[in-house]
Amino acid sequence: MSSVVQLIRGTALAEVPYAYAATAPAGSRLIFLAGACPLNDDGTTAAPGDYAAQAAKCVETLQGALEIAGATITDVISTRVLVASSSQADLVAAWDVIHAAFGAHDVPSTLLGVTVLGYDDQLVEIEAIAAVAE
């Protein structure tokens, strides 16, 4: 089944590695996902100190939540990536992993450096909204 999400790009805007906007048709079911965290099955934080590894674990968590909700990564309409760092290099390390996981489905996304996240040793979190056909 193909996604109902349509990515919107603008040639009059700066070239960026993500769509500037996305839409879903009327009647789509929206899925608001909790922040995907880098947690192991036992609730501990995966890969303390490693931005890229935590980003990969967040993607894995996100994909699991999407599956439970009846969606896939290509149904995501937007993301917000939170990285506990004031270093742009740390933000980019996390972003590169997440961007690669989304591949050609490069949804509108906001990348933020934050002071702290909710779990011990947590460095990365991904918030997402998805849309599927009813």
Side-chain angles (χ1 to χ4, degrees), residues 2 5 8-9 17 21 23 58 60 64 70 72 74 79-80 83 87 89 105 115:
S2 69
V5 174
I8 300 168
R9 304 176 191 291
T23 63
C58 288
E60 181 183 316
T72 67
T74 59
T79 65
R80 180 177 299 124
V83 181
S87 166
H105 188 69
T115 305

Side-chain angles (χ1 to χ4, degrees), residues 5 8 35 54 56 68 70 75 83 95 102 112 116 123 127 132:
V5 174
I8 300 168
Q54 285 200 12
I68 291 166
D75 296 314
V83 181
W95 171 255
F102 275 81
L112 298 170
V116 65
L123 301 172
E127 296 178 5
V132 294

Side-chain angles (χ1 to χ4, degrees), residues 67-110:
E67 184 178 336
I68 291 166
T72 67
I73 204 162
T74 59
D75 296 314
V76 172
I77 196 166
S78 71
T79 65
R80 180 177 299 124
V81 179
L82 309 171
V83 181
S85 179
S86 61
S87 166
Q88 189 177 34
D90 295 337
L91 275 69
V92 170
W95 171 255
D96 285 346
V97 171
I98 295 163
H99 184 253
F102 275 81
H105 188 69
D106 53 353
V107 298
S109 188
T110 299

